[in-house]
Amino acid sequence: MKAKIIDIKRFAVHDGDGIRTTIFLKGCPLKCVWCHNPEGIENKPQLAYYQNKCLGCGECVNACPQSAHQIIDGVHFFNREKCLACGRCENVCLGKALKFYGKEYTVDELLEIVLKDVEFYNSSGGGVTLSGGECLVQWEFCLELLKKLKEKGINTAVDTCGYVSKEVLEKVMPYTDVFLYDVKAIDEDVHIKCTGKSNEIILENLKFLDENGAKIEIRYPFVPNYNDDQVDKIYNFIKGLKNVQKVKVLTYHNFAGSKYESIGLKNTMPKVIPSEERINKIQTRFDFLLK
């Protein structure tokens, strides 16, 4: 069994407690306007082209079996329609202008990588986090990997948007130490505006996890003019839950804008950035709730 991976981040400190290795799996049912990882939305492999990094060396021209790359008068032209996302050009690109998203790994290959840092997990209270995209789009692979990690005594976290079937959550729950659970909005119309999908199943699944004693860390991506009016409603919703250990207000930024262009998508990231003071004020309120 293999999974499509967009990135593996070692020594991560923002994806759960302690020092962690975060594995980003490809595919997501939502399409958030502020998505920081647009390369994780599509299930299929993709090739990103960062024009500003291109050296015009022409190595990709020779490597591509589809002639998707051309150098004309020293200028690189990339025909995305011809590209099969085989990844050959990334391997020879001297300027690192080409990035392949969707490399396939087996469970054992990922285990070999994450086990290199067991000492850091143990000394810091860290472990391994599965993220995305939405990692549970590839839930069968996640389940197998989570089982192997627990056999090795490694702490596990699943970072999820919650837009999955309840049956999937039931299967992974016994092998997941904490769910990092996104709550983007309580009002359904706001959620649809921000993500393209209803939040009904998301809120139902959150209640399900809570009722079944799962350890939960709520993550609220605060984006001005989109879901900033949801603070009180999220606060009141969480107030009715029993097993929420932490609430983390995520500070929105638009640094990932270049990723959209690199994979041929329209950049939908909002321009308005919340102030640090406003984020801290909201975070303090949620912290007080859980005291």
Side-chain angles (χ1 to χ4, degrees):
M1 185 184 297
K2 294 183 178 181
K4 298 181 184 70
I5 306 297
I6 58 176
D7 198 10
I8 301 170
K9 184 179 179 182
R10 296 172 65 190
F11 305 107
V13 294
H14 300 295
D15 302 319
D17 294 336
I19 297 172
R20 312 188 71 83
T21 296
T22 303
I23 300 169
F24 296 87
L25 289 90
K26 214 169 187 322
C28 185
L30 306 185
K31 194 171 184 181
C32 303
V33 294
W34 57 72
C35 182
H36 290 176
N37 297 317
E39 72 279 15
I41 297 173
E42 289 285 342
N43 293 336
K44 62 183 181 181
Q46 291 172 294
L47 181 71
Y49 168 50
Y50 294 91
Q51 186 176 13
N52 62 315
K53 294 183 179 181
C54 181
L55 303 177
C57 64
E59 293 295 327
C60 57
V61 176
N62 298 323
C64 181
Q66 295 297 116
S67 300
H69 301 281
Q70 287 185 305
I71 303 293
I72 301 175
D73 295 330
V75 179
H76 179 198
F77 291 91
F78 173 44
N79 188 334
R80 191 173 297 280
E81 292 182 0
K82 288 186 176 182
C83 178
L84 297 179
C86 65
R88 295 181 188 177
C89 56
E90 180 200 39
N91 297 330
V92 300
C93 180
L94 300 179
K96 305 299 181 184
L98 299 169
K99 175 70 174 176
F100 178 67
Y101 295 114
K103 181 179 178 181
E104 291 189 334
Y105 288 82
T106 66
V107 168
D108 289 338
E109 286 171 337
L110 288 177
L111 276 177
E112 184 178 351
I113 294 170
V114 303
L115 290 176
K116 293 176 182 178
D117 298 322
V118 168
E119 291 185 10
F120 296 102
Y121 309 150
N122 293 339
S123 63
S124 67
V128 174
T129 298
L130 305 187
S131 187
E134 168 53 58
C135 62
L136 295 179
V137 166
Q138 302 184 68
W139 70 267
E140 292 174 306
F141 182 91
C142 289
L143 178 59
E144 185 176 340
L145 178 57
L146 288 167
K147 287 180 179 179
K148 292 286 184 70
L149 289 169
K150 296 314 296 177
E151 287 174 4
K152 300 292 184 180
I154 296 175
N155 178 276
T156 58
V158 169
D159 186 356
T160 179
C161 71
Y163 199 91
V164 298
S165 73
K166 188 177 296 182
E167 290 71 26
V168 167
L169 293 178
E170 285 181 311
K171 291 178 185 296
V172 301
M173 198 187 314
Y175 310 100
T176 303
D177 290 304
V178 60
F179 286 90
L180 310 180
Y181 203 99
D182 287 356
V183 177
K184 300 175 174 71
I186 300 299
D187 291 338
E188 185 177 33
D189 59 335
V190 174
H191 198 273
I192 292 172
K193 173 188 174 184
C194 293
T195 72
K197 298 284 187 179
S198 165
N199 61 351
E200 182 178 359
I201 187 175
I202 293 171
L203 298 181
E204 287 179 356
N205 281 338
L206 178 53
K207 290 178 182 178
F208 170 77
L209 289 175
D210 185 70
E211 290 167 358
N212 284 274
K215 185 179 178 182
I216 303 165
E217 176 183 315
I218 299 293
R219 300 192 145 202
Y220 170 30
F222 180 86
V223 184
N225 301 334
Y226 283 86
N227 67 349
D228 51 350
D229 63 343
Q230 297 294 294
V231 176
D232 290 344
K233 295 176 181 182
I234 292 174
Y235 180 95
N236 290 329
F237 189 91
I238 294 172
K239 201 174 179 180
L241 303 178
K242 300 176 181 179
N243 289 296
V244 174
Q245 311 290 313
K246 187 186 298 185
V247 177
K248 190 170 184 179
V249 182
L250 304 180
T251 304
Y252 167 71
H253 64 74
N254 56 10
F255 301 151
S258 62
K259 286 186 178 181
Y260 284 81
E261 182 180 355
S262 75
I263 56 175
L265 290 180
K266 178 184 177 181
N267 183 1
T268 60
M269 301 192 82
K271 295 181 179 179
V272 179
I273 307 298
S275 68
E276 185 176 346
E277 180 182 2
R278 192 175 184 190
I279 292 293
N280 289 339
K281 185 177 179 180
I282 298 169
Q283 183 65 67
T284 299
R285 184 182 179 195
F286 282 114
D287 291 343
F288 183 78
L289 172 65
L290 298 178
K291 283 185 178 179

